Amino acid sequence: MKVFINPGHDTTYDSGAVNPNTGLRECDVAAEVGARVAAYLEAAGCECQIMQSDNLAPTPVGRSEYTDRRGPTVTEMANEWGADIFVSIHCNAANTAAQGTEVECFGGGAGEELAQCIQSQIVGSIGTVDRGVKYMPKLLVLRYTDMPAVLVEMAFIDNDEDAALLDSKQDDFARAIARGVTDYEQSI
């Protein structure tokens, strides 16, 4: 199985959400978890490719919503590579009170099945609040991929309890995501 892994945001121009008390950055957590997911999946026999964000500078004004003149987007890379599944890894943020894990997908079918496998593994192994699988058909990484795709919101980085998990249990999150992918692979 070919798995395209997309750790969210970028370490130089868009760090994503940041914990206001500790400075923990979404881009750093996503990069570390993404690398570990790839290592676990490769050990299980999967072929992986990783691309954090689009690895491009901010979107120029007037640019189309899903292509970039300076290079391919993450969805184009996944499609061209012929990935069997696409996993984007993120940390959620809201109001410092919200907690938990949710996995987003385009809609029903294989994407929802993959999302449920990953959601079950994270909640079951780490004990995060179960926010469920959510349909998010407007998200570009879900809408413009040719394969089943999910966006994993591991936990809320702006909530101190969840941030502590994101900081200390990165390997546990990676193992759970990888197990969710292999659970899905065995189900098809």
Side-chain angles (χ1 to χ4, degrees):
M1 176 171 278
K2 294 172 76 172
V3 182
F4 196 97
I5 301 167
N6 169 233
H9 302 280
D10 184 88
T11 58
T12 57
Y13 67 85
D14 173 19
S15 66
V18 177
N19 181 282
N21 298 318
T22 67
L24 185 65
R25 300 185 325 159
E26 178 178 6
C27 63
D28 299 325
V29 173
E32 182 62 30
V33 171
R36 290 177 187 222
V37 169
Y40 287 125
L41 289 173
E42 287 170 350
C46 295
E47 186 179 349
C48 296
Q49 190 170 104
I50 298 176
M51 183 178 185
Q52 187 160 14
S53 186
D54 281 340
N55 291 344
L56 302 167
T59 305
V61 174
R63 180 190 131 193
S64 87
E65 67 179 348
Y66 64 97
T67 60
D68 194 298
R69 292 180 295 251
R70 292 166 291 163
T73 65
V74 67
T75 56
E76 290 168 336
M77 291 289 291
N79 292 341
E80 290 168 14
W81 184 55
D84 295 306
I85 65 171
F86 178 96
V87 179
S88 191
I89 300 171
H90 291 263
C91 303
N92 221 336
N95 57 12
T96 72
Q99 288 184 278
T101 299
E102 65 187 52
V103 181
E104 300 165 352
C105 60
F106 184 79
E112 181 180 16
E113 198 173 320
L114 173 61
Q116 190 57 58
C117 289
I118 293 171
Q119 178 76 13
S120 295
Q121 282 291 340
I122 293 174
V123 170
S125 64
I126 300 171
T128 54
V129 173
D130 187 352
R131 296 175 60 88
V133 169
K134 304 215 182 327
Y135 293 168
M136 301 293 274
K138 292 184 181 181
L139 290 178
L140 298 181
V141 295
L142 303 178
R143 185 175 184 175
Y144 293 109
T145 46
D146 294 338
M147 70 290 305
V150 296
L151 189 146
V152 180
E153 294 281 12
M154 295 180 287
F156 282 80
I157 200 165
D158 64 339
N159 175 284
D160 287 339
E161 286 180 50
D162 271 14
L165 294 174
L166 290 166
D167 190 38
S168 67
K169 297 202 174 278
Q170 293 174 4
D171 193 63
D172 294 332
F173 278 104
R175 285 177 190 265
I177 293 167
R179 280 193 310 268
V181 169
T182 59
D183 287 351
Y184 169 77
E185 181 181 24
Q186 292 175 1
S187 75
I188 57 173

